[in-house]
Amino acid sequence: MASSSAKMMRAVICDSPGPVSVLNLREVPVPTPQPGQVLVKVLAFGINRAEMFTRQGHSPGIIFPRIIGIELIGTVAGYPPGDGPEPGDIPIGSRVATCMGGLGRQIPGSYAEYSCPWKKNIRAVPDTTLPLATLAAMPEMFQTAYGSLVDSLDLQRGESILVRGATSSVGLTALQLARYLGAGRVAATTRSGARAQMLRDLGATDVFVDDGNLADQVPAQFDKVLELVGATTLKDSVKCLRPKGTVCMTGIQGGKWVLDDFAPMTDLPQRRRLTGYSGDPSDFLALPWEQLIKAVEARTIQIPLREFRLDQLQEVHKVLEDGGGGVKMVVVI
Amino acid sequence: MASSSAKMMRAVICDSPGPVSVLNLREVPVPTPQPGQVLVKVLAFGINRAEMFTRQGHSPGIIFPRIIGIELIGTVAGYPPGDGPEPGDIPIGSRVATCMGGLGRQIPGSYAEYSCPWKKNIRAVPDTTLPLATLAAMPEMFQTAYGSLVDSLDLQRGESILVRGATSSVGLTALQLARYLGAGRVAATTRSGARAQMLRDLGATDVFVDDGNLADQVPAQFDKVLELVGATTLKDSVKCLRPKGTVCMTGIQGGKWVLDDFAPMTDLPQRRRLTGYSGDPSDFLALPWEQLIKAVEARTIQIPLREFRLDQLQEVHKVLEDGGGGVKMVVVI
């Protein structure tokens, strides 16, 4: 049985697909972990654009009402009967992190005081001086940036990379992570020249104001492009690649997932390569998590963030709808 | 001045975009090489689907009437005044090969007794016992197969590859070339089970009859896929890839260049990669030409071909329109 004595909890329920007003803070029963799950007392969680898409009804297979939220930092509060803690399991009371794996989609999510992620998808949080809010900003953001740079783009030391749409939270992380991983030239784009200095301060070697025709400014110059704007700029991003370079589409700041007319033999000339990144729980588990936490402690990688409370999720989603504000938003409970 | 004494030559003129009847054998003046070009007496040339698309008006920037034809085997017949032969140039009378580089598009092509390719795009034909027709089948076909496998797909020894649409002339060559290059499993597809044995005889380790849903038969099994059917089957081909595998679209046997709705983040899951191959004269020049000629002499790589004369180009293009017949067509003059 769950060892927590709490019977009821506060949670933000997404009542149905709709505008921000469908998100409502309610008292609901603490969930009971099913076999293979673990009960986690949520301490803090990061906010993601994916949650806005789910709320708007764009994620397939979601049954409403649903507690959304795809990542969290918390403490282990219980295991289901007969299913733990077993030898090797993380002890009750220990701090853990998780993201993806159906959280906030097929199973209740993190916008709550308790959640029941899959045991196989949690990992321990090492001892750290980082504030809870900073830790909460990390799982999904680092998984996405690291997965895109290392797994999808196979970024090598000394290679040049362009981060297109660099002022988003993932973009800022990817920019700094690319430097940290030893990339050579690390260029960044922004739609507004006003943010160029901020990007330089975080390690961008070049900053370009993106008018949609970047290939005119930097034709065939990069080994790798991380495409965070999406389908609207992807063909132009391909033209910024050197022969045999790779572009990875990871974000859709431009609001568009789909290329309406894509001709690989002409749109990917001279062996330019296209790949995508959409995340997987195994990626979070494979992350060099301890090493990244140390890099954040040392401020080698900085995480601009904005902190909210559980009763502010409507406000948080309004900010998401306005573009996210260029910082990672987190909720501390 | 051109050293040839011929003033007039036979050539197949594509009078305008249209059906096969626009191809007409005529007497026209032997062209004069311009600076940077070389006059070549054409001995034989391979036939390509690209020429059908040009004849049909699908290639942009072609000015009609035009002598089409994108590759040839011939002998050097002259250099323009003041532009050669210079030290290092291929001597007059030597056999040469060329393909692409605007031939049959921006400059008059190979469907003629003489042609004027760019000097930088020709290379010598080594001494060989191969018949002229076999040699003529090789430049574009090997450039395409080798460029796709080596440059675009970066095929490594021991890797598995699926050649989708293997019964075309490029497919048959790619299949054998993949074996020759040391690939492990080399699977091939055909729409007709009747051709399975022929594919096995040429080295296919597995043959699949392609009903458009190949991923049901071989899900996530291949390191590499060479996509010769085109946009109609590409999404299904991606699903035949292992994580981090690559598909290269090189052909459009299915008649479709363009993906109407392609979402990289979901259609390229788990870091599957998409690239294309559309050919470049530098690829032909980079080809291990002497080595490939030896492999064909040894029948390690077999080239099924069908031979025609210069007055049969309408018939040749009818065969192209009917699908090409699964052999390389060549014209010997």
Side-chain angles (χ1 to χ4, degrees), chain A residues 147 150-154 231 234 244 246 249-252 257-266 268-280 282-283, chain B residues 147 150-154 231 234 244 246 249-252 257-266 268-280 282-283:
Chain A
V150 176
D151 286 340
S152 293
L153 286 174
D154 197 23
L234 192 126
K244 298 204 183 191
T246 307
M249 179 166 150
T250 296
I252 55 156
W257 299 87
V258 174
L259 294 153
D260 297 325
D261 57 330
F262 190 73
M265 291 170 66
T266 48
L268 296 172
Q270 288 183 266
R271 280 73 93 202
R272 271 76 171 181
R273 291 168 186 156
L274 170 64
T275 187
Y277 183 82
S278 55
D280 188 83
S282 63
D283 296 341
Chain B
V150 176
D151 286 339
S152 292
L153 287 173
D154 197 23
L234 192 127
K244 298 204 182 191
T246 307
M249 178 168 152
T250 295
I252 56 156
W257 299 87
V258 174
L259 293 152
D260 297 326
D261 57 329
F262 190 73
M265 292 170 67
T266 49
L268 296 172
Q270 288 183 266
R271 280 72 94 199
R272 271 77 172 182
R273 292 168 186 156
L274 171 62
T275 188
Y277 182 82
S278 54
D280 189 83
S282 62
D283 296 342

Side-chain angles (χ1 to χ4, degrees), chain B residues 99-162:
Chain B
C99 70
M100 311 281 292
L103 199 69
R105 290 174 169 138
Q106 287 72 45
I107 57 175
S110 58
Y111 286 17
E113 289 179 316
Y114 288 89
S115 185
C116 293
W118 297 108
K119 190 168 91 175
K120 64 180 180 182
N121 290 338
I122 65 171
R123 63 187 296 180
V125 176
D127 284 337
T128 171
T129 58
L130 291 180
L132 203 48
T134 305
L135 268 178
M138 293 180 64
E140 177 71 18
M141 195 167 71
F142 271 101
Q143 180 215 279
T144 303
Y146 190 90
S148 298
L149 295 179
V150 176
D151 286 339
S152 292
L153 287 173
D154 197 23
L155 183 68
Q156 301 293 316
R157 294 188 74 81
E159 284 189 330
S160 55
I161 182 168
L162 173 68

Side-chain angles (χ1 to χ4, degrees), chain B residues 227-243:
Chain B
E227 174 63 82
L228 297 173
V229 178
T232 51
T233 52
L234 192 127
K235 284 187 188 183
D236 184 63
S237 289
V238 171
K239 295 178 188 158
C240 300
L241 287 174
R242 290 186 177 146

Side-chain angles (χ1 to χ4, degrees), chain B:
Chain B
M1 294 298 294
S3 69
S4 168
S5 59
K7 297 290 181 212
M8 296 295 281
M9 67 173 185
R10 292 186 307 151
V12 174
I13 312 291
C14 183
D15 292 320
S16 62
V20 298
S21 59
V22 299
L23 295 173
N24 290 295
L25 186 63
R26 296 224 169 79
E27 289 273 321
V28 296
V30 169
T32 302
Q34 303 301 307
Q37 294 181 333
V38 55
L39 180 67
V40 172
K41 182 176 192 332
V42 181
L43 300 174
F45 56 87
I47 298 292
N48 298 278
R49 280 172 65 84
E51 294 147 14
M52 178 181 74
F53 296 127
T54 299
R55 190 208 78 217
Q56 292 170 334
H58 300 317
S59 305
I62 310 287
I63 298 166
F64 294 92
R66 170 58 80 206
I67 300 171
I68 61 175
I70 65 169
E71 63 173 326
L72 63 82
I73 299 284
T75 51
V76 175
Y79 284 92
D83 199 46
E86 293 163 349
D89 276 353
I90 297 173
I92 288 176
S94 296
R95 283 209 293 188
V96 292
T98 191
C99 70
M100 311 281 292
L103 199 69
R105 290 174 169 138
Q106 287 72 45
I107 57 175
S110 58
Y111 286 17
E113 289 179 316
Y114 288 89
S115 185
C116 293
W118 297 108
K119 190 168 91 175
K120 64 180 180 182
N121 290 338
I122 65 171
R123 63 187 296 180
V125 176
D127 284 337
T128 171
T129 58
L130 291 180
L132 203 48
T134 305
L135 268 178
M138 293 180 64
E140 177 71 18
M141 195 167 71
F142 271 101
Q143 180 215 279
T144 303
Y146 190 90
S148 298
L149 295 179
V150 176
D151 286 339
S152 292
L153 287 173
D154 197 23
L155 183 68
Q156 301 293 316
R157 294 188 74 81
E159 284 189 330
S160 55
I161 182 168
L162 173 68
V163 179
R164 190 163 199 169
T167 56
S168 69
S169 58
V170 168
L172 295 175
T173 301
L175 170 64
Q176 298 175 85
L177 191 57
R179 296 292 309 250
Y180 178 73
L181 292 168
R185 185 181 182 193
V186 179
T189 76
T190 168
R191 277 172 301 176
S192 154
R195 306 180 84 170
Q197 191 54 50
M198 184 263 287
L199 291 169
R200 282 194 195 92
D201 291 344
L202 291 177
T205 54
D206 312 57
V207 177
F208 301 101
V209 175
D210 192 349
D211 64 355
N213 291 305
L214 216 55
D216 293 344
Q217 295 182 65
V218 281
Q221 293 194 4
F222 293 94
D223 297 309
K224 306 288 163 70
V225 174
L226 176 59
E227 174 63 82
L228 297 173
V229 178
T232 51
T233 52
L234 192 127
K235 284 187 188 183
D236 184 63
S237 289
V238 171
K239 295 178 188 158
C240 300
L241 287 174
R242 290 186 177 146
K244 298 204 182 191
T246 307
V247 57
C248 174
M249 178 168 152
T250 295
I252 56 156
Q253 295 168 13
K256 207 158 174 309
W257 299 87
V258 174
L259 293 152
D260 297 326
D261 57 329
F262 190 73
M265 292 170 67
T266 49
D267 289 326
L268 296 172
Q270 288 183 266
R271 280 72 94 199
R272 271 77 172 182
R273 292 168 186 156
L274 171 62
T275 188
Y277 182 82
S278 54
D280 189 83
S282 62
D283 296 342
F284 174 61
L285 300 176
L287 207 60
W289 180 226
E290 291 75 11
Q291 186 185 332
L292 293 171
I293 287 176
K294 281 191 171 48
V296 177
E297 285 174 347
R299 295 187 62 77
T300 307
I301 299 177
Q302 299 177 41
I303 305 181
L305 60 80
R306 188 172 164 196
E307 198 174 321
F308 293 86
R309 297 184 312 269
L310 193 55
D311 59 8
Q312 293 179 296
L313 263 307
Q314 290 194 4
E315 182 183 341
V316 165
H317 273 240
K318 276 185 201 127
V319 178
L320 281 178
E321 292 196 340
D322 291 341
V327 298
K328 180 74 175 181
M329 294 189 284
V330 296
V331 170
V332 177
I333 296 191

